[in-house]
Amino acid sequence: MTVEIHDGTRWRTVCTLDDLQPGRGVAVLLDGEQVAVFRDRSGGLHALDNRDPFSGAHVLSRGLLGSRGERPTLASPMYKQVFDLTDGRCLDEETAPDGTPAVLRLWPVRSAVEPAPAAARPAVPARATAQAPA
Amino acid sequence: MTSHSPDRPRELVLVGHGMVGQRFLEAWTEQPGADRWRVTVLAEEPRPAYDRVHLSSLFDGRTPEDLALCPPGFLAEHGIDLRLGDPVTAIDRAARTVTTRAGRQVRYDALVLATGSAPFVPPVPGRDAAGCHVYRTIEDLDAIRADAERATIGVVVGGGLLGLEAAGALRATGLSTHVVEFAPRLMAVQVDDGGGALLRRKIEDLGVTVHTSAAADAVATGPEGRVRALSLSDGRELAADLVVFSAGIRPRDQLARDCGLPVGARGGIVVDERCRTADPAVLAIGECAQAADGRVYGLVAPGYQMAETAARELADRPGDGFVGADTSTKLKLLGVDVASFGDPHGAAEGAVDVLYSDSRLGVYRKLVIGADGALLGGVLVGDTDSYGTLRPLAVAGRPLTVPPEQLVLPAGLSTAGPVALPDEAVLCSCHNVTQGAVRAAVREQGCDSVAAVKKCTRAGTGCGSCVKQLGTVVGEELAAAGFAPQTGLCEHFAQTRAELYEIVRVTGITGFSDLLDRYGQGEGCEVCKPTVASILASLGGGHILDGEQAALQDSNDHFLANLQRNGSYSVVPRVPGGEITPEGLITIGEIARDYGLYTKITGGQRIDLFGASVDQLPGIWARLVDAGFESGHAYGKALRTVKSCVGETWCRYGVQDSVALAIELELRYRGLRSPHKLKSAVSGCARECAEAQSKDFGVIATSAGWNLYVGGNGGMTPRHADLLAADLDRETLIRTIDRYLMFYIRTADRLERTSVWLDRLEGGLDHLRAVVIDDSLGIAAELDELMARHIGCYQDEWAATLADPDRLRRFSSFVNAPGTPDPAVTFVPERGQIRPARPGEDGRVLTTPAPVLVAGPRLEVLTP
């Protein structure tokens, strides 16, 4: 099983499912952009900006998954702000120190079977587990 | 372009965008009809309003952005035209226009002056020399910081609030610091002689030299025109490379003077209680104004009240005017808590003082009681915990419900319960929020936490001195509404850390999921996960990166290194007791050089290597482990260091071998996971060169054995350790420390230091002594066994990680580009080494220098 992120144009294979330890993330470099990819305890995949808007460091892939009420969350390892994994919003502060809204971009992510030869690859993958591309 | 439409917007011009100016804009935009006005702000400084009160925090690593006060999007949302760096130079009241330095003319229907104040620099010869500064703006601080780099001695002229702030800043930059004060005591306005004397002693203990009853006479300069010395009115001359004038402030009222508006005898634009000047179209607020009570306030809270008053006045909704304000203050100056409230000097007829002073503890408390028994004011130095209760009582002029002496005595001697505040008492004086408003926010608006109340009422979001009291009131109100007080770890576990520890110990649960499913709820969070990880580790749960445990660790533990501000990591090898061979030193130096790391000697006798990327950690550690070093656990809530002096081996005064004991203790407790980090030290004689009494456990040699001290700490609220047992032999000493540590680990709360734990422990030191020495609880054998298990199971985390390709896989910046370092982590050179690049700085990208072995995630496994 591989993990794929949609970069706005196409799905890109970034790692295998085994690379993702439940509850822990990895960082992905996509044409200079950094994405943090997580797998939660129940197997769901999440992909968000890796840049922590509060410290400016690209460290969110090293944060801890959790929950707040019903919402699945990610806590930044730097100053511990908590983000909602369903919409990327920071639940603790609305704006970052530079004045921008503290919202992380969500990237469409899915797991897929090992890539088949290009010609035979289905247009819509059979096993998308997370969000569809916007 | 002229418009004759009746809808033509009216023009409001605000001069100055400081704290008060910004507060005025916020209050103004909330007024009905404000949107029919066009607002222009003309400001002198090059940046929007920032928090001047916390200016000194720039020396503690905060950035100017952290201090910004203007909410993002605020100006755009309200169509406010802010022009920075273009101050008003003239007002034409007849034409109703202002002219700016750039020559711009702006018409106004209403003009609000918020020009603040300027630092007062006494007219001493030489005061303009290079190296002379004032302490008012971010630019001033930048200039001081730049100058401080080539200075060694700094002198602050002025021993008031701002002067001591400035002295703290100079001290923080490493300068040898002097304070010169004209009055016979420090903070003459706020504190009395007794409080001033204690304050002076505390500040001198920090290494700042204080000269009172002395004025600056002249600044002497060297041949290149820089400050060389400051001569004083008593004839002495202080050598100085840098001088900061902080001798008070003067209202900036020149614009008003020039256009014929009346000013007070000692400066300040005269305004009435609605903040109007003699010209009905012109208002003045904040430190540039002389209020209706004839005073010029140099504090932000009265300025805020004036801002609110002026906004209402302009919107034709005058409420209560501004007739004067509370000038109570609570501060931490150079780490010393100081508070003064109400009338601290007891000027009223028949007023008497009730005071308690303990030089040994460094506490001074004075209450001024009126003839009718009402609390009029007071001074607190060294311990300001009761400020939150006493200030509102004093400001309300309320008679006390308990004898005043009970309020000044130390907790152990006082029999008084908490003092009830009336609902009209102002809890937060920065935002003028009463206790009643806070209670109503909880009761009627559903605020169920301090954070929610802060958001709803703004209480506690100013200087923050009322937050503790706020917590008490919110807690009381929630309890009254039937909500049980929250003692649990977080929303996922209703148990305390100590309870979870017992659950894990008794049930033998070895995984977080298991514990969560059986005793918790939800998915966990950044609070409970590392706590449970620590409990599992201290109960012998194996390598902290094994299995599910890896997903629980804080980022530091996860990478066995310390996360730094730009996302890079630091590496700290263990140097037991601080003893290191030349070969070891050379190895560390070579590794740092090969990887281009920043090196620094830590406070605990180790060497810090900064600036490593995740990808480099295994390579660095492979070389360290190869050279015999092991993990220093600088990243963990675990034993950090056992510091030592050289002891009897080298020192003329030493009476025992402190180095050998420190090494033994450090190796014994290395890797021990605990609720908070642990530090220790061993001194070879009573001279205490290892500072053992500031540690979680410290040992001092006596001619008869070892004295064991516990519960000390440095940090934010330092505490001296208590003597637990004296003249112990080596074996008894170690057994006692074993039990002390295990008892602490078993019963402490999350992130609870030994000092806080000891203070909370019922029965205190005597109880602890009974448990660990006399085994009063019958658990000593169990504690001994736990420690023996820890020592038996210890393995070096880094050596174990390097030996396991699976664990090594995580040390990669990018899963899809192993070996590529984070391109966003950049550095610039400073003093011959690297430091993280600041935003906007063009740093070089972190790269692994060519000649060293590449530290990829698939590093070759080393076999010892």
Side-chain angles (χ1 to χ4, degrees):
Chain A
M1 294 286 280
T2 60
V3 175
E4 300 180 345
I5 294 179
H6 199 272
D7 65 7
T9 315
R10 63 194 171 95
W11 287 102
R12 311 259 300 256
T13 301
V14 295
C15 62
T16 70
L17 203 55
D18 289 342
D19 288 326
L20 292 173
Q21 185 179 23
R24 205 86 232 186
V26 298
V28 165
L29 195 58
L30 274 190
D31 305 327
E33 288 193 271
Q34 295 192 26
V35 185
V37 185
F38 295 87
R39 180 181 175 188
D40 61 32
R41 280 206 309 157
S42 53
L45 295 176
H46 306 273
L48 316 89
D49 284 345
N50 193 32
R51 182 180 179 276
D52 171 20
F54 295 93
S55 63
H58 292 68
V59 293
L60 290 181
S61 62
R62 307 173 205 166
L64 285 174
L65 291 194
S67 65
R68 200 177 267 191
E70 294 300 304
R71 284 184 283 227
T73 58
L74 164 66
S76 167
M78 196 63 86
Y79 302 119
K80 313 294 185 221
Q81 281 91 357
V82 171
F83 297 87
D84 187 336
L85 282 174
T86 61
D87 60 9
R89 267 174 205 289
C90 178
L91 296 173
D92 297 319
E93 292 176 60
E94 283 175 12
T95 44
D98 64 2
T100 55
V103 184
L104 305 175
R105 170 178 171 190
L106 297 188
W107 299 66
V109 59
R110 68 184 185 186
S111 62
V113 289
E114 290 292 341
R121 202 164 166 195
V124 178
R127 292 209 233 168
T129 57
Q131 307 101 317
Chain B
M1 193 182 82
T2 321
S3 162
H4 295 285
S5 150
D7 289 339
R8 190 194 70 164
R10 300 181 70 195
E11 304 279 350
L12 170 60
V13 172
L14 169 67
V15 185
H17 195 223
M19 298 179 78
V20 171
Q22 171 62 23
R23 183 53 183 268
F24 168 77
L25 292 176
E26 287 172 30
W28 170 247
T29 52
E30 285 169 12
Q31 303 299 328
D35 52 352
R36 291 196 293 276
W37 289 65
R38 205 152 60 189
V39 183
T40 306
V41 185
L42 300 166
E44 177 171 40
E45 285 193 57
R47 63 184 86 231
Y50 54 89
D51 182 355
R52 226 183 280 281
V53 174
H54 292 104
L55 207 53
S56 297
S57 68
L58 294 178
F59 284 97
D60 309 331
R62 294 233 274 168
T63 64
E65 290 71 41
D66 294 333
L67 297 185
L69 281 182
C70 192
F74 171 83
L75 298 172
E77 185 190 333
H78 298 286
I80 296 168
D81 181 9
L82 169 64
R83 300 182 192 178
L84 296 169
D86 192 14
V88 169
T89 50
I91 300 170
D92 184 339
R93 283 166 48 206
R96 291 205 175 166
T97 58
V98 294
T99 307
T100 70
R101 185 167 65 195
R104 196 180 271 133
Q105 275 210 342
V106 186
R107 200 183 60 76
Y108 66 81
D109 294 296
L111 179 66
V112 177
L113 301 174
T115 47
S117 57
F120 169 65
V121 179
V124 297
R127 61 182 179 160
D128 295 327
C132 287
H133 296 271
V134 292
Y135 198 86
R136 182 73 186 163
T137 65
I138 288 176
E139 281 66 32
D140 292 339
L141 261 68
D142 284 345
I144 291 173
R145 196 181 348 225
D147 252 11
E149 275 180 21
R150 49 181 170 178
T152 51
I153 306 175
V155 178
V156 176
V157 177
L161 278 180
L162 278 173
L164 295 183
E165 279 269 336
L170 292 190
R171 188 174 161 271
T173 63
L175 295 192
S176 160
T177 305
H178 296 256
V179 172
V180 175
E181 166 59 42
F182 182 67
R185 61 168 183 266
L186 296 173
M187 284 181 70
V189 179
Q190 292 88 1
V191 306
D192 58 353
D193 283 336
L198 179 62
L199 181 62
R200 175 186 188 138
R201 198 156 55 241
K202 288 198 155 214
I203 286 172
E204 287 185 331
D205 282 348
L206 297 169
V208 174
T209 314
V210 177
H211 312 265
T212 48
S213 301
D217 237 16
V219 175
T221 51
E224 76 293 10
R226 293 195 63 83
V227 172
R228 180 182 59 74
L230 181 76
S231 52
L232 303 184
S233 53
D234 57 13
R236 285 181 304 152
E237 189 175 82
L238 296 176
D241 308 307
L242 194 154
V243 175
V244 177
F245 289 102
S246 191
I249 50 172
R250 294 288 182 269
R252 298 184 64 190
D253 54 15
Q254 196 60 44
L255 281 175
R257 288 173 191 268
D258 291 346
C259 68
L261 288 172
V263 295
R266 301 180 60 198
I269 307 160
V270 173
V271 297
D272 65 11
E273 59 188 46
R274 293 179 183 175
C275 298
R276 291 176 305 202
T277 67
D279 179 338
V282 184
L283 288 80
I285 54 177
E287 297 182 352
C288 67
Q290 176 188 295
D293 62 351
R295 295 174 68 180
V296 176
Y297 289 91
L299 292 169
V300 75
Y304 280 178
Q305 290 177 38
M306 292 173 90
E308 304 265 354
T309 303
R312 283 195 308 268
E313 171 66 18
L314 279 175
D316 258 343
R317 301 172 63 232
D320 293 336
F322 180 84
V323 289
D326 173 23
T327 55
S328 302
T329 37
K330 175 180 167 224
L331 302 130
K332 203 179 194 73
L333 291 165
L334 290 142
V336 183
D337 287 309
V338 183
S340 115
F341 53 94
D343 165 21
H345 300 299
E349 184 142 342
V352 292
D353 294 348
V354 177
L355 80 91
Y356 172 83
S357 170
D358 186 333
S359 319
R360 194 175 47 92
L361 288 177
V363 171
Y364 178 90
R365 301 192 188 98
K366 182 181 88 168
L367 300 183
V368 179
I369 309 294
D372 60 351
L375 178 64
L376 299 179
V379 176
L380 306 169
V381 179
D383 173 11
T384 53
D385 278 358
S386 51
Y387 175 79
T389 323
L390 295 174
R391 184 196 54 76
L393 281 175
V395 171
R398 285 273 173 146
L400 290 169
T401 51
V402 294
E405 49 273 25
Q406 292 291 351
L407 294 176
V408 297
L409 286 174
L413 295 174
S414 169
T415 54
V419 179
L421 284 178
D423 260 6
E424 66 270 25
V426 174
L427 265 193
C428 170
S429 52
C430 293
H431 295 292
N432 208 17
V433 183
T434 62
Q435 172 171 277
V438 169
R439 291 195 186 279
V442 176
R443 214 168 36 230
E444 289 151 29
Q445 296 173 63
C447 299
D448 59 357
S449 65
V450 171
V453 171
K454 277 178 159 182
K455 216 170 190 170
C456 171
T457 64
R458 299 179 88 160
T461 60
C463 70
S465 70
C466 64
V467 171
K468 198 173 168 196
Q469 183 70 15
L470 192 63
T472 310
V473 174
V474 172
E476 281 172 10
E477 200 58 39
L478 283 174
F483 292 100
Q486 291 287 323
T487 56
L489 199 53
C490 60
E491 67 173 77
H492 308 101
F493 286 101
Q495 302 86 348
T496 63
R497 181 195 170 278
E499 288 165 347
L500 285 177
Y501 180 95
E502 288 305 312
I503 288 171
V504 173
R505 194 177 65 85
V506 172
T507 60
I509 285 175
T510 56
F512 178 76
S513 285
D514 200 8
L515 188 68
L516 189 68
D517 291 343
R518 284 170 65 182
Y519 295 95
Q521 55 175 347
E523 287 295 308
C525 65
E526 72 286 359
V527 170
C528 59
K529 282 183 167 183
T531 305
V532 171
S534 162
I535 292 172
L536 292 172
S538 50
L539 283 167
H543 194 282
I544 65 159
L545 297 186
D546 277 353
E548 200 195 21
Q549 283 207 56
L552 306 178
Q553 310 291 345
D554 255 333
S555 171
N556 281 358
D557 288 277
H558 186 63
F559 290 110
L560 307 171
N562 286 39
L563 177 62
Q564 304 299 340
R565 63 183 310 147
N566 63 349
S568 66
Y569 284 83
S570 61
V571 169
V572 189
R574 182 171 299 291
V575 181
E579 184 179 81
I580 188 166
T581 61
E583 203 49 47
L585 271 177
I586 289 166
T587 303
I588 292 179
E590 282 176 345
I591 294 169
R593 184 193 56 207
D594 291 348
Y595 281 89
L597 304 175
Y598 167 86
T599 54
K600 183 175 189 312
I601 311 285
T602 71
Q605 299 182 333
R606 301 196 285 195
I607 300 171
D608 242 337
L609 311 172
F610 280 82
S613 72
V614 163
D615 308 72
Q616 294 176 317
L617 291 172
I620 293 169
W621 272 107
R623 288 178 62 180
L624 286 168
V625 168
D626 214 24
F629 288 102
E630 55 179 47
S631 170
H633 292 101
Y635 46 82
K637 299 285 179 242
L639 178 90
R640 295 288 173 88
T641 60
V642 182
K643 201 173 161 185
S644 72
C645 64
V646 294
E648 67 172 357
T649 319
W650 292 92
C651 175
R652 286 182 288 154
Y653 304 105
V655 293
Q656 304 274 359
D657 186 353
S658 57
V659 181
L661 181 65
I663 293 171
E664 183 178 356
L665 293 177
E666 183 156 348
L667 295 180
R668 185 175 183 83
Y669 302 124
R670 62 189 161 174
L672 181 66
R673 289 296 197 287
S674 54
H676 198 279
K677 66 184 173 189
L678 289 170
K679 293 183 180 178
S680 174
V682 181
S683 280
C685 79
R687 283 181 167 69
E688 248 282 69
C689 294
E691 295 159 318
Q693 289 175 90
S694 64
K695 307 296 185 202
D696 296 280
F697 61 100
V699 182
I700 303 176
T702 69
S703 49
W706 304 98
N707 284 354
L708 173 59
Y709 292 81
V710 295
N713 68 255
M716 295 254 286
T717 30
R719 181 188 191 276
H720 248 136
D722 293 321
L723 180 64
L724 185 68
D727 294 330
L728 301 174
D729 60 61
R730 206 190 117 274
E731 198 188 332
T732 315
L733 170 78
I734 289 176
R735 190 175 61 233
T736 311
I737 300 174
D738 284 358
R739 293 176 182 174
Y740 160 73
L741 289 175
M742 274 301 168
F743 187 45
Y744 159 68
I745 289 171
R746 183 165 173 170
T747 57
D749 270 340
R750 167 183 173 266
L751 300 183
E752 186 173 46
R753 286 174 176 274
T754 55
S755 57
V756 180
W757 168 76
L758 193 55
D759 281 341
R760 179 176 64 89
L761 198 64
E762 223 167 286
L765 196 63
D766 288 337
H767 176 63
L768 178 63
R769 207 174 275 131
V771 172
V772 301
I773 296 176
D774 308 327
D775 195 13
S776 62
L777 295 180
I779 58 168
E782 213 173 277
L783 299 176
D784 292 346
E785 202 272 330
L786 280 168
M787 187 60 86
R789 197 186 329 159
H790 163 74
I791 295 163
C793 293
Y794 174 79
Q795 54 172 341
D796 175 46
E797 282 162 8
W798 262 110
T801 301
L802 291 169
D804 181 346
D806 239 23
R807 290 179 189 142
L808 275 179
R809 282 175 64 230
R810 78 183 73 246
F811 292 93
S812 159
S813 289
F814 301 107
V815 68
N816 63 341
T820 306
D822 180 352
V825 174
T826 58
F827 299 93
V828 295
E830 184 174 272
R831 294 187 294 275
Q833 302 203 65
I834 58 163
R835 68 156 168 82
R838 301 196 174 108
E841 270 179 345
D842 185 19
R844 75 179 161 82
V845 173
L846 176 79
T847 50
T848 307
V852 301
L853 87 160
V854 175
R858 318 230 178 252
L859 184 87
E860 276 180 75
V861 175
L862 293 160
T863 38

